[in-house]
Amino acid sequence: MINRLLKNLDASSCNFLAAHTIARELEAAGFTPLRQEDAWDVKPGGRHYVVKNDSAVFAFIVGKGNPATDGFRIISAHSDSPCFKIKPNAEIYGDGGVVSLNVEKYGGGILYTWFDRPLSISGRVMTAGSDALHPRTHLVDLRRPVAFIPHLAIHFNRAVNEGNPLSVQKDMKPVVGYFSNEQLEDFKKRGGIVKVLIAEEIGIRPEEIIDYELCLYPAEPATIAGADGQYFQSARIDDLSMAFAGLEALVGEADCECDFTRVLAVFDNEETGSGTKQGAASPVLRDLLERLTALRGGGREEFLRAIANTFMISADDAHAWHPNYNEKSDPTNHPVIGGGPVVKINANCKYMTDAQGAAVFRTLCEQAGVKCQYFVNHSDVVGGSTLGNILTSQLDIKGVDMGNAIWAMHSARETAGVSDQEDTVKVFRKFFS
Ligand code: ZN
């Protein structure tokens, strides 16, 4: 299972590729795609999925029971991770034919971790479609190191190890190479090196690219680490480890006949506040649940009853106790890597967890034979937020915020525990069976 996760992490180099990888796995497990704009025909036991904006996925297995009384069981996660997005007109020309790229930070990454690493480019590009309102989408992943962000030598900044603020605009521009005058002229004529590289990969002409959303991603593959192989390391563990745990559970329990409808909701744009049409603050999940209730003959009242009978596990990774920074952790509630899935609690309701939600999750852990831990912020630390509390502004559902304990959240390379991943899948399978 862990090897499948590592492979899927490598294939999911950005939000779009993550949605694509999830969709591919769902199709292999007999799920059929539905489009929001079409009429749907869904039957009890039916396995389907919807991709929204190429970057969010909502998969479901229709329950055999009465939607109003059996409700939904939902696992939610997010497809996006902090990275650098390539701006339009990206090329910046320097001495000796050097070309670097103008980029914008996406989300709150640890900038230092991005220096001096091999970087590649992935995302989606648009070409002309059937008419102006329907451009054609191409997913693209160069899958080879084409760029890197060289750090300034220590000789030019002796204080670099004593705290060194960074400017994204100045310090984080990736270099893509140096080229002859003829090459540079050719690139400029064809729309710039980014479009040339991407067009070559897709097999189109650069002039055909109308627009793009491309990001840089760390090109090193995910790997097992630690003397006993206890850890795994990769970019984008937050939150693809949870998205793939949810997928593993949904696919693994797909043959189980359940009265409730099971839903895996992988939203985009959590790292920027979820405020997009494919994000958790949008009505996308609520409308899907209402639609599924209506397709089973239920009206508004049945939908509201279904919502009252629904439980959601909002799965997003947590911070592990760090051996170098004991003072950052709460004295009695600090999860460790290898200690099992983590229930996240916040007195000011940044997490949706309450005693009821925690009790449900802890009981599921017990039934699955899995240990469970708590994460609560050190009382002088503000901490982050996640999907659960944002979703409850759209859906008044019961639930829990949980995740696995990881190190270096939002680094270009995060670390998590192999046994935690396996344990979380066991709990998710219990929830989906
Ligand atoms: Zn996250």
Side-chain angles (χ1 to χ4, degrees):
M1 188 197 85
I2 202 72
N3 288 328
R4 189 159 53 240
L5 173 67
L6 300 187
K7 209 174 78 207
N8 281 335
L9 283 167
D10 289 341
S12 306
S13 54
C14 66
N15 51 346
F16 302 113
L17 273 296
H20 178 69
T21 305
I22 293 167
R24 213 185 47 207
E25 294 271 328
L26 286 165
E27 257 178 67
F31 287 70
T32 54
L34 295 173
R35 300 191 322 150
Q36 279 184 310
E37 50 267 57
D38 296 337
W40 292 1
D41 177 23
V42 302
K43 301 206 163 47
R47 306 173 187 186
H48 306 283
Y49 70 92
V50 183
V51 175
K52 173 88 173 170
N53 184 53
D54 305 316
S55 64
V57 187
F58 303 89
F60 52 91
I61 303 176
V62 183
K64 304 233 164 178
N66 176 355
T69 52
D70 294 306
F72 300 92
R73 291 198 186 185
I74 305 166
I75 294 176
S76 65
H78 63 91
S79 63
D80 61 321
S81 310
C83 63
F84 293 96
K85 299 264 180 190
I86 302 176
K87 291 179 181 175
N89 303 311
E91 293 80 5
I92 297 171
Y93 301 96
D95 283 357
V98 166
V99 179
S100 45
L101 300 181
N102 191 3
V103 296
E104 196 172 7
K105 182 167 72 87
Y106 175 86
I110 305 175
L111 299 185
Y112 270 100
T113 61
W114 284 77
F115 283 116
D116 307 319
R117 278 178 187 276
L119 303 175
S120 190
I121 294 173
S122 70
R124 69 173 175 178
V125 302
M126 297 290 161
T127 59
S130 53
D131 58 57
L133 289 183
H134 299 91
R136 188 168 162 213
T137 303
H138 308 255
L139 297 186
V140 63
D141 188 343
L142 294 184
R143 297 201 175 283
R144 65 181 200 278
V146 293
F148 52 91
I149 308 171
H151 200 283
L152 181 68
I154 193 166
H155 312 80
F156 295 118
N157 182 7
R158 295 282 180 190
V160 66
N161 294 326
E162 289 144 37
N164 187 39
L166 293 171
S167 149
V168 175
Q169 191 63 61
K170 176 178 170 57
D171 297 305
M172 306 310 292
K173 289 195 298 292
V175 168
V176 286
Y178 63 89
F179 305 94
S180 67
N181 284 339
E182 295 75 55
Q183 283 175 301
L184 290 174
E185 282 314 308
D186 182 54
F187 289 150
K188 284 177 190 169
K189 246 189 278 157
R190 297 162 74 201
I193 189 171
V194 170
K195 286 188 177 175
V196 169
L197 283 171
I198 297 300
E200 259 170 28
E201 182 69 26
I202 304 172
I204 58 173
R205 286 177 294 113
E207 306 87 282
E208 291 179 69
I209 296 176
I210 303 172
D211 216 320
Y212 60 67
E213 281 169 79
L214 297 168
C215 72
L216 287 141
Y217 72 88
E220 301 109 320
T223 182
I224 300 287
D228 264 344
Q230 308 96 320
Y231 305 106
F232 63 97
Q233 290 194 313
S234 173
R236 306 175 297 278
I237 287 177
D238 167 22
D239 187 34
L240 294 182
S241 64
M242 290 297 103
F244 285 115
L247 178 70
E248 189 90 23
L250 186 68
V251 167
E253 294 297 335
D255 289 336
C256 163
E257 300 206 341
C258 293
D259 288 338
F260 49 86
T261 294
R262 290 165 282 179
V263 180
L264 172 67
V266 182
F267 295 94
D268 191 10
N269 304 123
E270 192 275 341
E271 301 296 356
T272 55
S274 298
T276 59
K277 62 190 180 302
Q278 60 278 359
S282 81
V284 61
L285 178 62
R286 186 190 67 205
D287 289 353
L288 170 70
L289 303 184
E290 187 161 5
R291 190 170 186 171
L292 291 177
T293 308
L295 285 164
R296 300 287 313 284
R300 184 75 185 158
E301 197 194 27
E302 286 73 22
F303 172 60
L304 296 177
R305 289 174 65 201
I307 290 305
N309 282 311
T310 289
F311 191 88
M312 180 171 75
I313 297 177
S314 159
D316 198 358
D317 283 316
H319 303 297
W321 175 82
H322 194 304
N324 301 353
Y325 302 97
N326 181 48
E327 73 281 5
K328 296 287 181 192
S329 292
D330 180 70
T332 62
N333 294 290
H334 47 260
V336 292
I337 293 180
V342 179
V343 171
K344 295 153 76 171
I345 291 180
N346 180 267
N348 294 301
C349 309
K350 285 196 169 176
Y351 300 132
M352 76 186 298
T353 311
D354 53 18
Q356 188 187 41
V360 170
F361 189 77
R362 287 177 67 83
T363 306
L364 288 169
C365 286
E366 203 178 300
Q367 289 174 355
V370 161
K371 281 185 296 174
C372 172
Q373 322 180 72
Y374 279 119
F375 172 86
V376 188
N377 277 312
H378 184 287
S379 299
D380 300 330
V381 172
V382 181
S385 80
T386 178
L387 297 163
N389 61 330
I390 288 170
L391 267 169
T392 46
S393 66
Q394 288 289 335
L395 277 164
D396 52 332
I397 46 177
K398 296 184 282 261
V400 64
D401 264 307
M402 59 73 65
N404 280 349
I406 71 169
W407 280 325
M409 187 179 286
H410 293 188
S411 164
R413 201 154 177 88
E414 300 166 328
T415 299
V418 172
S419 67
D420 294 334
Q421 186 72 21
E422 292 163 348
D423 284 350
T424 289
V425 171
K426 283 184 205 157
V427 182
F428 286 1
R429 288 187 73 143
K430 188 53 81 181
F431 180 59
F432 271 165
S433 63

